[in-house]
Amino acid sequence: MKIIIANWKLYLERGASCALAQKLVLEFSKSLDGKKLIVCPSFVSLKEVGDIFRGTDISLGAQDVFWEDVGSYTGEISPRDLKELGCGYVIVGHSERRKFFKETHLMAHEKIKACLRVGLIPVLCVGENWEERRLGQRDVVIIQTLHEVFGGIHLRPDDHIIVAYEPVWAISGGGGVNASAQEAEYAHQLIRHMLLDLYDMNRVNDSFRIIYGGSVNPSNIDSYTNSEHIDGVLVGNASVKADSFLRLIEKA
Ligand code: PGA
């Protein structure tokens, strides 16, 4: 089953988020044709968008989370509260969090542990930036990130994690162009090999899904979803306009 995750970032205010959520429900109330659709609105829209999705096959996700449930942490978002609000998924370690809020691999590690503790499925973003790509460091960046984020995390049979290969240079907000399906496939194989260094084959097969993100749109989606190795896509910009997102889902 191909996974489509919509990352609405801070593109839509509450009213627009609810309007788009309603369009999705109208369009896909009957069938998602075997696709798994996960929508991650802004925190302040989570409750209302979640209410709109209730009883449908569309899942709710958050764009970030903190690693503690309660305490003196001004401004933070508790994993337990997200779970209670109906979220099933959380994006962790997105490059925009790393760039604007200086988030580190260690923070992503703590967030993943917190997600698994309360039964949320983390979506870890990993990928090199322009400079690292120019210096030929893509593989090192991927290997180091996975090592530092997953090192020491023991997985139980019912734990699930999505890893998104999301090269920073390909993200549309930074003026990026999408990575070719071949590049995305290569990175997926590398991620899988790296996970096999950390976990046994059954755990990797059962617990992990590996997707691609970065300037995915209705014209290029099929190059990723046609690949047998790529389990789905993480979509930003093209997921916040109803027409492009509906076309993208249909073509996936
Ligand atoms: P994009 O964003 O599809 O606009 O490139 C993807 C992301 O940042 O998750």
Side-chain angles (χ1 to χ4, degrees):
M1 178 187 284
K2 295 293 179 182
I3 302 164
I4 303 166
I5 305 181
N7 177 8
W8 287 354
K9 306 192 181 185
L10 198 51
Y11 286 130
L12 301 176
E13 44 83 31
R14 265 175 53 231
S17 299
C18 292
L20 182 50
Q22 260 145 1
K23 280 201 178 119
L24 292 175
V25 169
L26 268 181
E27 200 69 25
F28 299 108
S29 60
K30 288 191 208 82
S31 153
L32 272 162
D33 262 349
K35 295 159 210 164
K36 175 85 197 155
L37 180 59
I38 300 156
V39 174
C40 306
S42 68
F43 283 124
V44 293
S45 311
L46 275 173
K47 168 85 175 72
E48 281 160 285
V49 170
D51 287 345
I52 293 167
F53 290 160
R54 185 159 309 124
T56 75
D57 287 338
I58 307 174
S59 303
L60 188 68
Q63 298 174 17
D64 188 28
V65 68
F66 188 53
W67 52 82
E68 297 289 346
D69 285 327
V70 284
S72 308
Y73 306 107
T74 305
E76 284 306 334
I77 306 284
S78 142
R80 199 179 56 194
D81 282 349
L82 288 182
K83 181 76 184 170
E84 277 177 20
L85 219 55
C87 283
Y89 300 79
V90 180
I91 299 172
V92 170
H94 190 282
S95 59
E96 286 154 14
R97 301 291 316 168
R98 294 174 187 267
K99 177 175 167 194
F100 296 115
F101 304 101
K102 304 287 171 266
E103 289 199 6
T104 62
H105 296 332
L106 180 61
M107 291 180 187
H109 171 93
E110 292 300 329
K111 290 179 180 194
I112 294 214
K113 280 200 298 195
C115 285
L116 298 175
R117 173 166 45 79
V118 300
L120 289 163
I121 299 180
V123 180
L124 175 76
C125 298
V126 49
E128 78 285 3
N129 62 29
W130 266 121
E131 185 60 4
E132 288 158 345
R133 175 177 163 85
R134 196 178 63 77
L135 295 171
Q137 294 173 343
R138 171 191 52 196
D139 294 11
V140 176
V141 169
I142 292 174
I143 289 167
Q144 255 176 15
T145 306
L146 296 181
H147 231 285
E148 288 184 36
V149 173
F150 290 125
I153 296 186
H154 174 76
L155 295 179
R156 295 159 306 180
D158 54 352
D159 285 336
H160 295 282
I161 295 176
I162 297 172
V163 178
Y165 172 58
E166 193 162 76
V168 183
W169 51 267
I171 294 176
S172 66
V177 281
N178 60 305
S180 69
Q182 288 78 359
E183 272 182 281
E185 285 217 12
Y186 173 85
H188 283 68
Q189 302 286 20
L190 181 67
I191 289 168
R192 194 176 143 75
H193 281 298
M194 184 57 218
L195 292 172
L196 286 168
D197 253 15
L198 294 166
Y199 302 105
D200 67 51
M201 174 111 61
N202 287 340
R203 185 64 28 250
V204 172
N205 289 343
D206 295 347
S207 290
F208 285 91
R209 291 289 171 271
I210 307 174
I211 65 174
Y212 167 77
S215 295
V216 175
N217 62 40
S219 317
N220 61 31
I221 174 106
D222 45 359
S223 66
Y224 306 109
T225 48
N226 285 342
S227 158
E228 62 168 308
H229 302 295
I230 301 175
D231 295 317
V233 288
L234 174 55
V235 190
N237 206 23
S239 73
V240 289
K241 292 169 218 106
D243 58 333
S244 80
F245 194 38
L246 296 178
R247 266 191 299 136
L248 186 147
I249 296 167
E250 267 152 26
K251 285 190 72 188

